[in-house]
Amino acid sequence: MMAQQYIGTGRIGPGKNVAYTGTAGTTSAIGAQTYKVQVVVTSDAFVTTDGSTPSSTSGAYVPALSPEVFTTSPGQIVKAVQVSAGGTLYVTEIIS
């Protein structure tokens, strides 16, 4: 049996989605009350939450279709760039 990671609770806030390729997909700024986001990518990707452009040396490697939760600050921008194939970045704000 796999252990589940506890990530806390929060209300589901607005969602955003953008396409990415070798060029980063960039969301609009996250909300004023958002300190966590759930990120899902449809192909393996590198992701950042601070607005910087992700790459293999700067950004978190996120496998396709594996939801990840990241701590953020209000106003931050989420970006994704492909590892080997383009896809869609889905970001859901989690409001405390």
Side-chain angles (χ1 to χ4, degrees), residues 15-92:
K16 307 170 186 307
N17 64 74
V18 294
Y20 59 87
T21 58
T23 300
T26 303
T27 68
S28 57
I30 61 172
Q33 302 211 359
T34 302
Y35 292 90
K36 290 185 280 188
V37 292
Q38 179 188 50
V39 171
V40 178
V41 290
T42 59
S43 67
D44 295 353
F46 295 103
V47 175
T48 57
T49 59
D50 64 359
S52 65
T53 300
S55 70
S56 61
T57 58
S58 66
Y61 173 81
V62 178
L65 306 176
S66 297
E68 295 283 347
V69 175
F70 295 99
T71 299
T72 60
S73 296
Q76 287 189 300
I77 294 171
V78 182
K79 292 186 177 187
V81 68
Q82 72 183 31
V83 171
S84 62
T88 302
L89 164 67
Y90 293 92
V91 177
T92 304

